[in-house]
Amino acid sequence: MRLGLACCFLLLTQLTFSQTENGKDAYSIGVKGIKLIDEGQFEEGIKLLKQARNLEPHDYDYAFEIGKAYLKSGNPKKAEKYLFELQYNKNSQADLYIALANCYLELEEVKKTPDSERKKELDALRYGILKLPSEGILYLELGKRKLTMEESVDALAVFETGIQKAPNFAENYFWAAKLMKATGNQLWAWFYAELCYNMTDDLDLLRSSAMLISASSNAVFELEWNGNPEKLDQSLNIVFSEKCSNSANESDLQLEKRKCLLENWNYTGFSISPLFQRLVELKNLGFLEAYLATILQENDKDAFLKWLPPHVKTFEEYRTWRYWNPMRTAKAVSRLNIY
């Protein structure tokens, strides 16, 4: 019995060592393959990736990289062959479902009569959402594809579901803001754009969000704005008309209007409270004016440069603070579930 146990132990040790060596070899070969693919040498790169996969046949990453390489090289049919089975792998990530959706998109484009509903493409993303419901990028991809199909109502529903399921993924807020503005809902265009602005570090997204914030918030701060019949809109409208109607729009910053709003509106009963908690934090830190100046910077350079000279120190302090403190929230924002 002891001899048998010793033999088993030696066999397991040898197998583990062999797997480790195979893993090292596969990794080395795989890295070379990916490098070749990045350089556009698809045939040689795929060949190396297949060698790596043969050494580690159960590894998720090598099969995924082969599928991506085929897709990148313009062969979506072979790419789909490698990517399809990975949908059911426990290690699957959001980028797999996006790649698979792109396969089906390209395969449909070469058909004489493509599927106008793009079912396989969208189903790949829907299945990804089912498996990974907190991956905000999957909602973003599905929503943007709905927009290309001119299904803006469905797209908005997807973006807003993404906001609830992945509240710290910034880009879904931006696209929801664009759709809100397009439908004339200036209040939620402002809210969504400003949430995105406080979360993202992407420069293009920051600029685009700042322009949406400026246009939509200015419309809301106008005396003629009445909003929709919803409780949130009417609560804000009362504060604007009864408490803040005489507030100035100092230096195009909205500083006095926003201060008045923060001091007089009880936002805690609404789902938008994370945004206003952020604004209160900025106010308490002495950064509210500098924060508003960053929005002004993207909308009116001359006005910003006029404001800047006496505020350089505070502005730089705010920018440093913002770099280390992007907005994060554990509480989902829901436009349709006002409580």
Side-chain angles (χ1 to χ4, degrees), residues 68-125:
K68 282 202 305 179
Y70 274 124
L71 184 60
K72 192 174 180 181
S73 69
N75 194 333
K77 188 172 183 179
K78 281 193 175 180
E80 193 266 351
K81 175 185 172 184
Y82 282 90
L83 297 175
F84 182 83
E85 292 298 329
L86 295 179
Q87 293 179 94
Y88 314 109
N89 191 295
K90 64 179 181 180
N91 297 317
S92 62
Q93 301 296 319
D95 52 357
L96 165 71
Y97 301 99
I98 296 169
L100 192 56
N102 288 335
C103 281
Y104 292 127
L105 175 63
E106 292 189 22
L107 287 169
E108 286 296 328
E109 285 176 345
V110 298
K111 288 183 178 179
K112 289 184 178 179
T113 54
D115 177 14
S116 60
E117 295 183 358
R118 294 160 62 173
K119 188 176 186 305
K120 283 189 173 182
E121 174 194 348
L122 301 186
D123 279 352
L125 294 169

Side-chain angles (χ1 to χ4, degrees), residues 253-264:
L253 291 174
Q254 302 177 340
L255 180 60
E256 298 306 317
K257 287 182 178 292
R258 286 187 179 240
K259 280 184 176 178
C260 182
L261 181 59
L262 294 176
E263 289 165 4
N264 291 284

Side-chain angles (χ1 to χ4, degrees), residues 179-244:
L179 289 172
M180 285 288 95
K181 191 172 188 301
T183 60
N185 191 326
Q186 302 287 2
L187 183 64
W188 278 93
W190 164 28
F191 286 167
Y192 281 147
E194 196 147 346
L195 282 160
C196 178
Y197 188 78
N198 279 276
M199 290 179 181
T200 188
D201 290 321
D202 181 272
L203 292 178
D204 290 334
L205 206 51
L206 282 167
R207 294 187 188 103
S208 299
S209 297
M211 288 187 278
L212 274 171
I213 292 166
S214 180
S216 298
S217 61
N218 279 332
V220 171
F221 283 132
E222 290 291 331
L223 293 176
E224 295 81 11
W225 182 82
N226 291 314
N228 292 323
E230 280 80 7
K231 183 180 176 182
L232 172 60
D233 298 52
Q234 294 310 309
S235 173
L236 270 173
N237 197 40
I238 290 169
V239 174
F240 289 147
S241 60
E242 294 184 1
K243 302 289 185 180
C244 303

Side-chain angles (χ1 to χ4, degrees), residues 137-196:
I137 194 170
L138 292 173
Y139 300 92
L140 174 67
E141 285 289 327
L142 181 57
K144 287 168 74 173
R145 289 166 202 248
K146 283 287 185 180
L147 281 179
T148 64
M149 298 167 69
E150 298 184 353
E151 296 178 6
S152 57
V153 174
D154 286 352
L156 178 60
V158 172
F159 293 134
E160 291 192 309
T161 302
I163 286 168
Q164 292 180 55
K165 299 294 186 180
N168 292 304
F169 185 81
E171 203 164 346
N172 284 321
Y173 292 99
F174 172 73
W175 285 94
K178 288 189 70 171
L179 289 172
M180 285 288 95
K181 191 172 188 301
T183 60
N185 191 326
Q186 302 287 2
L187 183 64
W188 278 93
W190 164 28
F191 286 167
Y192 281 147
E194 196 147 346
L195 282 160
C196 178

